[in-house]
Amino acid sequence: STLTNEEIKIAENAGCILYDIKFCPCVNDVGDYHSDKLGAWIDDFLSITNDNNQSRIGMYLLGTFLAHFPKDRYNTWLPQEICQSIEENKLFRGERNESLLQGFCIECYNMVGPQCINAGRENIPLIAEYTSYAQAVKLEYPFCAEIFRCIAREFELESQTRRERAVHEY
């Protein structure tokens, strides 16, 4: 359908708001996780995005939302229910779900925030962290492991680039 200028502006504002939302489904304001609500929330969210013909955006956003599970409150970073949900959505329209993977990876990468550039050494703990997550889930949740390896590779690539710059530019 053809949208009016007002409808276009509303859609643009809604899109901006949606991309600024930072939360994990079924984690309340104080950080308590309620696993029993996760499946229904994901089903509702994906149903709404599918009904609006925004499936790819929905999968991307789902990845960003799941990346916001609080690391500091639980022994293992991602609980079994979230890993299971990621595995259940590893295929999108018969193909590997690149949108979910990209949303999760980019959000994890961006959540690190600004760092003191120290010739690439600042990323070494992050590489080890995400590699250990991949090792922990590789048998039961291979798509999750792939996502964690992707994040570790990004941090490793950035670290190598910074080391090379330190050698050649200083």
Side-chain angles (χ1 to χ4, degrees):
S1 68
T2 304
L3 300 177
T4 65
N5 287 338
E6 184 178 333
E7 290 171 326
I8 291 171
K9 190 68 173 170
I10 290 170
E12 288 172 351
N13 289 337
C16 289
I17 291 168
L18 191 57
Y19 281 112
D20 285 341
I21 295 173
K22 307 293 183 202
F23 81 105
C24 183
C26 303
V27 175
N28 65 17
D29 293 340
V30 294
D32 296 329
Y33 172 61
H34 302 282
S35 63
D36 54 326
K37 298 177 182 179
L38 180 68
W41 187 93
I42 289 174
D43 289 344
D44 288 346
F45 176 76
L46 293 178
S47 174
I48 291 167
T49 59
N50 289 340
D51 289 348
N52 289 331
N53 295 320
Q54 298 171 323
S55 301
R56 279 200 205 293
I57 293 170
M59 285 295 183
Y60 178 88
L61 289 171
L62 178 61
T64 65
F65 296 156
L66 295 178
H68 280 276
F69 188 81
K71 288 183 185 183
D72 54 348
R73 293 220 29 195
Y74 299 91
N75 293 335
T76 57
W77 178 35
L78 285 182
Q80 181 178 4
E81 297 84 9
I82 289 181
C83 289
Q84 184 63 40
S85 295
I86 290 172
E87 289 297 318
E88 288 170 1
N89 289 291
K90 70 182 173 187
L91 295 178
F92 178 67
R93 296 183 178 159
E95 296 178 6
R96 192 173 100 118
N97 194 339
E98 291 295 327
S99 296
L100 178 66
L101 183 140
Q102 288 174 353
F104 196 98
C105 289
I106 291 170
E107 193 65 19
C108 287
Y109 192 76
N110 288 340
M111 282 191 306
V112 171
Q115 297 177 347
C116 175
I117 297 176
N118 194 2
R121 289 188 292 273
E122 68 279 358
N123 285 352
I124 292 172
L126 294 167
I127 296 165
E129 177 184 350
Y130 284 98
T131 300
S132 72
Y133 295 151
Q135 281 296 111
V137 299
K138 70 179 181 182
L139 295 177
E140 226 176 326
Y141 306 109
F143 189 61
C144 284
E146 182 181 344
I147 291 172
F148 294 139
R149 283 191 298 272
C150 176
I151 297 166
R153 276 192 306 271
E154 284 297 318
F155 283 121
E156 187 170 11
L157 179 62
E158 180 183 41
S159 181
Q160 288 172 350
T161 302
R162 287 183 178 173
R163 280 195 304 272
E164 288 177 21
R165 283 185 182 158
V167 168
H168 298 296
E169 291 180 7
Y170 300 110

